[in-house]
Every structure is written in structure tokens, then in C-alpha cells.
Amino acid sequence: MRPWLPAERPTEPPTGYKIAHPMLSQDGTRAGFTGVSLGGALPYGVLDDASCVYGRRHRPPARLCDCGFHCVHEREVAEALLCTAEHRSAVLLEVSVLGAYIRFERGFRYARQRVRTATVGPCACDAPAVALADSGGGRPGWRGLAAACAGCVRARVSVSPAGFARRAGQGLRVIAGGAGATGGPVAAGEGLGVPELVAEAALLQARLDWFQSQLARLGERGEQG
């Protein structure tokens, strides 16, 4: 017989770290995430329950299955995953591990989670991000998002970090590291403070600049015609 490990009864939910792709619903009213591996087909909310990706009728995390949310213990381990080419557009999540869980050497597999913080990296051009914009990928009913700077956002469907946090709800904080509009990280939660308003203004200004450049090009073509 294989001995079972003793059950843990923590006084506070354990904290874990993971990476995920930010998502925006087709109608633009909701925000969430998708995983980067096994659970990538199933968007989840800030506060959500895991389900078996194989469609089996058991409650995650089942010991003889891979189902359930996954996270690692160390922030640095999750950050290292962002270096790979396929994960460059993902964001770093800090989560609370809720419900039943199985502890492993490097992390947890668990039944329920709350995403507390999402940290957005720079734009693909390495400039500070002011928005999460349509990445060109997605799932049925959901658009994939990626960090975008003021120069790259253009007219793509996008939301500011504060706008994403509002749509996601449940007290989520979105941090855009090194956002140039504010001279430091922009932390967006349920309310709008000065940093969040500055980020919103930067996104609106970027869109206005793009539209003005398009109008100028149309004017030049008209004059040449």
C-alpha cells in the first residue's frame, strides 16, 4: 500500500505564481485568462473553479488525472517561463490557492483559485505598455490580448490596464511594469487614481495620433489625385 501524505490545513490560502494569456470577451464586457499548456482551451475568470479538461466526471484535482489549476511556489520560476518564444505575450499572475490542492516539489495542482495580481510586460517592441491589445489569436467568443505601447496599439481592439481590471472584477490588480506614461509601474484596480487616468489618457492619445496620421495620408492622396 502506498502511504498518503498528511492533510494540510493552512490558516491562510497558499500563494502561487503562474503565467497566462489575457483574454477579452467578444462583446468587450468581460476579461479573463487562458492557460499556456493543458488548460489553454478553457478561459477562466479571476475567481473560478477548475474543471477536468478531459471531460471526466470527477472533481479536480484528482490524483490519477492531470486536471486542476496549476501554479509554482516561486515567482522567479514563473517569470523564467516568459522568456520562451511561445510565452512572450503572456502575463505573470499571483494567485491564491483555494479549495483542495495537491502539493508538489515545485508547485500546486488545485481546485479553485483567485487571481490577485496580473503583471503585464513590455510591448513586443520593448517599449512600456499602455494597453492590452488584440494579439491576433483567441478562442471562440474570446480575443487574445497582448501588451502594446502607445506607438503600436493603433486602432486595434484594446483596453487599458485599468479597463481590463474593471472588466475582470473581483478586486484584480493589473500592473503594467515600467509604463512610460507615469515613470513607473501602473497598478490598476477597481478604482481609478491618477496613474490609471494617465494610462487611460495615453491610450486615448495613441489612438487619436493614429487616426490623425490616417487622415493626413488620405489628405495627401486627395491632393495628388
Side-chain angles (χ1 to χ4, degrees):
M1 295 291 292
R2 182 180 177 181
W4 296 105
L5 294 174
E8 296 184 20
R9 293 179 174 81
T11 57
E12 296 289 337
T15 295
Y17 302 90
K18 62 194 300 181
I19 64 173
H21 294 291
M23 308 290 286
L24 183 68
S25 63
Q26 183 177 0
D27 61 7
T29 62
R30 294 173 294 150
F33 304 94
T34 58
V36 297
S37 57
L38 192 63
L42 301 174
Y44 57 85
V46 171
L47 179 63
D48 217 334
D49 295 294
S51 58
C52 180
V53 296
Y54 303 110
R56 296 169 183 164
R57 296 184 178 179
H58 54 229
R59 184 177 299 175
R63 289 187 177 273
L64 300 180
C65 186
D66 295 327
C67 62
F69 290 120
H70 295 72
C71 72
V72 295
H73 297 307
E74 303 296 333
R75 181 186 180 98
E76 292 76 13
V77 174
E79 285 178 328
L81 298 175
L82 295 172
C83 294
T84 61
E86 63 270 29
H87 298 154
R88 287 291 179 93
S89 63
V91 298
L92 176 69
L93 304 183
E94 179 183 308
V95 302
S96 291
V97 175
L98 307 175
Y101 63 81
I102 300 174
R103 181 188 289 272
F104 296 93
E105 180 181 358
R106 300 185 69 182
F108 297 99
R109 181 159 63 88
Y110 50 102
R112 183 174 171 81
Q113 76 176 3
R114 178 187 294 276
V115 181
R116 299 202 303 254
T117 303
T119 302
V120 180
C123 177
C125 71
D126 268 348
V130 300
L132 289 164
D134 191 344
S135 65
R139 299 289 183 271
W142 292 86
R143 299 175 188 269
L145 302 179
C149 68
C152 294
V153 66
R154 299 181 181 273
R156 286 186 290 166
V157 173
S158 61
V159 293
S160 67
F164 186 90
R166 288 198 305 273
R167 288 166 175 80
Q170 298 291 337
L172 175 70
R173 295 177 64 246
V174 180
I175 299 173
T182 62
V186 174
E190 291 183 334
L192 283 178
V194 172
E196 292 80 19
L197 290 172
V198 170
E200 294 273 8
L203 176 56
L204 291 173
Q205 185 62 52
R207 287 175 172 165
L208 179 59
D209 291 343
W210 184 83
F211 280 116
Q212 287 177 335
S213 68
Q214 298 303 304
L215 289 172
R217 288 180 183 178
L218 289 174
E220 291 174 359
R221 290 177 184 175
E223 292 175 359
Q224 292 173 359

